[in-house]
CSV table of all heavy atoms in Angstrom, one decimal:
chain,number,residue,atom,x,y,z
A,7,LYS,N,145.3,76.5,138.8
A,7,LYS,CA,146.3,76.1,137.8
A,7,LYS,C,146.1,74.7,137.6
A,7,LYS,O,146.0,73.9,138.5
A,7,LYS,CB,147.7,76.4,138.4
A,7,LYS,CG,148.7,76.5,137.3
A,7,LYS,CD,150.0,77.0,137.8
A,7,LYS,CE,151.0,77.0,136.7
A,7,LYS,NZ,152.4,77.3,137.1
A,24,PHE,N,129.6,74.1,123.0
A,24,PHE,CA,129.9,75.6,122.9
A,24,PHE,C,130.4,75.9,121.6
A,24,PHE,O,130.9,77.1,121.4
A,24,PHE,CB,130.9,75.9,124.0
A,24,PHE,CG,130.8,77.3,124.5
A,24,PHE,CD1,129.7,77.8,125.2
A,24,PHE,CD2,131.9,78.2,124.3
A,24,PHE,CE1,129.7,79.1,125.6
A,24,PHE,CE2,131.8,79.5,124.7
A,24,PHE,CZ,130.7,80.0,125.4
A,34,PHE,N,126.9,86.6,125.6
A,34,PHE,CA,127.6,87.0,126.8
A,34,PHE,C,129.1,87.1,126.5
A,34,PHE,O,129.6,86.6,125.5
A,34,PHE,CB,127.3,86.2,128.0
A,34,PHE,CG,127.8,84.8,127.9
A,34,PHE,CD1,129.1,84.5,128.5
A,34,PHE,CD2,127.1,83.7,127.4
A,34,PHE,CE1,129.6,83.2,128.4
A,34,PHE,CE2,127.6,82.4,127.3
A,34,PHE,CZ,128.9,82.2,127.9
A,37,ASN,N,134.9,85.9,127.6
A,37,ASN,CA,136.1,86.1,128.3
A,37,ASN,C,136.0,86.0,129.8
A,37,ASN,O,136.9,86.0,130.5
A,37,ASN,CB,136.7,87.4,127.9
A,37,ASN,CG,137.3,87.4,126.5
A,37,ASN,OD1,137.9,86.5,126.1
A,37,ASN,ND2,136.9,88.5,125.7
A,46,GLY,N,135.1,69.0,119.1
A,46,GLY,CA,136.1,68.1,118.7
A,46,GLY,C,136.5,68.2,117.3
A,46,GLY,O,135.7,68.4,116.4
A,47,ILE,N,137.8,68.2,117.0
A,47,ILE,CA,138.4,68.4,115.7
A,47,ILE,C,139.0,67.1,115.2
A,47,ILE,O,139.7,66.5,116.0
A,47,ILE,CB,139.5,69.5,115.7
A,47,ILE,CG1,139.0,70.8,116.3
A,47,ILE,CG2,140.1,69.7,114.3
A,47,ILE,CD1,137.9,71.4,115.4
A,70,SER,N,123.5,62.3,119.5
A,70,SER,CA,124.3,61.5,118.5
A,70,SER,C,124.7,62.4,117.4
A,70,SER,O,124.2,62.2,116.2
A,70,SER,CB,123.4,60.3,118.0
A,70,SER,OG,124.1,59.6,117.0
A,81,PHE,N,139.4,74.2,110.7
A,81,PHE,CA,139.4,74.8,112.0
A,81,PHE,C,140.5,76.0,112.0
A,81,PHE,O,140.2,77.1,112.5
A,81,PHE,CB,139.8,73.8,113.1
A,81,PHE,CG,140.2,74.3,114.4
A,81,PHE,CD1,139.2,74.8,115.2
A,81,PHE,CD2,141.5,74.4,114.8
A,81,PHE,CE1,139.5,75.4,116.5
A,81,PHE,CE2,141.9,75.0,116.0
A,81,PHE,CZ,140.9,75.5,116.8
A,86,TRP,N,140.1,79.4,114.2
A,86,TRP,CA,141.3,79.8,115.0
A,86,TRP,C,141.5,81.3,115.0
A,86,TRP,O,141.8,81.9,116.1
A,86,TRP,CB,142.5,79.1,114.6
A,86,TRP,CG,143.7,79.4,115.4
A,86,TRP,CD1,144.8,80.0,115.0
A,86,TRP,CD2,143.8,79.2,116.8
A,86,TRP,NE1,145.7,80.2,116.1
A,86,TRP,CE2,145.0,79.8,117.3
A,86,TRP,CE3,143.0,78.7,117.8
A,86,TRP,CZ2,145.5,79.8,118.6
A,86,TRP,CZ3,143.4,78.7,119.2
A,86,TRP,CH2,144.6,79.2,119.5
A,104,THR,N,142.3,56.7,114.3
A,104,THR,CA,143.5,55.8,114.6
A,104,THR,C,144.5,56.7,115.4
A,104,THR,O,144.4,57.9,115.4
A,104,THR,CB,144.2,55.5,113.3
A,104,THR,OG1,144.6,56.7,112.6
A,104,THR,CG2,143.3,54.7,112.3
A,150,VAL,N,147.3,56.4,122.6
A,150,VAL,CA,146.9,57.7,122.0
A,150,VAL,C,147.5,58.9,122.7
A,150,VAL,O,148.0,59.8,122.1
A,150,VAL,CB,145.3,57.8,122.0
A,150,VAL,CG1,144.9,59.2,121.5
A,150,VAL,CG2,144.7,56.7,121.2
A,173,ILE,N,137.2,53.0,135.8
A,173,ILE,CA,137.8,54.2,135.2
A,173,ILE,C,139.2,54.5,135.8
A,173,ILE,O,140.0,55.2,135.1
A,173,ILE,CB,136.8,55.4,135.3
A,173,ILE,CG1,137.2,56.5,134.3
A,173,ILE,CG2,136.7,55.9,136.7
A,173,ILE,CD1,136.2,57.5,134.0
A,181,GLU,N,147.8,58.8,132.8
A,181,GLU,CA,148.8,59.5,133.6
A,181,GLU,C,150.2,59.0,133.3
A,181,GLU,O,151.1,59.8,133.1
A,181,GLU,CB,148.5,59.3,135.1
A,181,GLU,CG,149.4,60.0,136.0
A,181,GLU,CD,149.1,59.8,137.5
A,181,GLU,OE1,148.8,58.7,137.9
A,181,GLU,OE2,149.0,60.8,138.2
A,191,ILE,N,133.4,63.4,133.0
A,191,ILE,CA,133.3,62.3,132.1
A,191,ILE,C,132.7,62.7,130.7
A,191,ILE,O,132.1,63.8,130.7
A,191,ILE,CB,132.4,61.2,132.6
A,191,ILE,CG1,131.0,61.8,133.0
A,191,ILE,CG2,132.9,60.6,133.9
A,191,ILE,CD1,129.9,60.8,133.4
A,263,ALA,N,133.5,71.7,134.1
A,263,ALA,CA,133.1,72.1,132.8
A,263,ALA,C,131.5,72.0,132.8
A,263,ALA,O,131.0,71.1,133.3
A,263,ALA,CB,133.7,71.3,131.7
A,264,VAL,N,130.9,73.0,132.2
A,264,VAL,CA,129.5,73.1,132.1
A,264,VAL,C,129.1,72.7,130.7
A,264,VAL,O,129.7,73.3,129.7
A,264,VAL,CB,128.9,74.5,132.4
A,264,VAL,CG1,127.4,74.5,132.4
A,264,VAL,CG2,129.4,74.9,133.8
A,285,TYR,N,130.0,80.9,147.7
A,285,TYR,CA,130.2,79.8,148.5
A,285,TYR,C,131.5,79.8,149.3
A,285,TYR,O,131.6,79.6,150.5
A,285,TYR,CB,130.1,78.5,147.7
A,285,TYR,CG,130.4,77.2,148.5
A,285,TYR,CD1,129.4,76.6,149.2
A,285,TYR,CD2,131.6,76.7,148.5
A,285,TYR,CE1,129.6,75.5,149.9
A,285,TYR,CE2,131.9,75.5,149.2
A,285,TYR,CZ,130.9,74.9,149.9
A,285,TYR,OH,131.2,73.8,150.6
A,305,ASP,N,137.0,60.7,158.8
A,305,ASP,CA,136.0,61.2,159.7
A,305,ASP,C,136.5,62.2,160.7
A,305,ASP,O,135.8,63.2,161.0
A,305,ASP,CB,135.4,59.9,160.4
A,305,ASP,CG,134.4,59.2,159.5
A,305,ASP,OD1,134.0,59.8,158.4
A,305,ASP,OD2,134.0,58.1,159.8
Side-chain angles (χ1 to χ4, degrees):
Chain A
K7 200 167 176 189
F24 207 66
F34 67 91
N37 290 315
I47 303 297
S70 179
F81 168 76
W86 182 244
T104 61
V150 174
I173 195 164
E181 180 178 48
I191 55 175
V264 182
Y285 174 83
D305 281 348

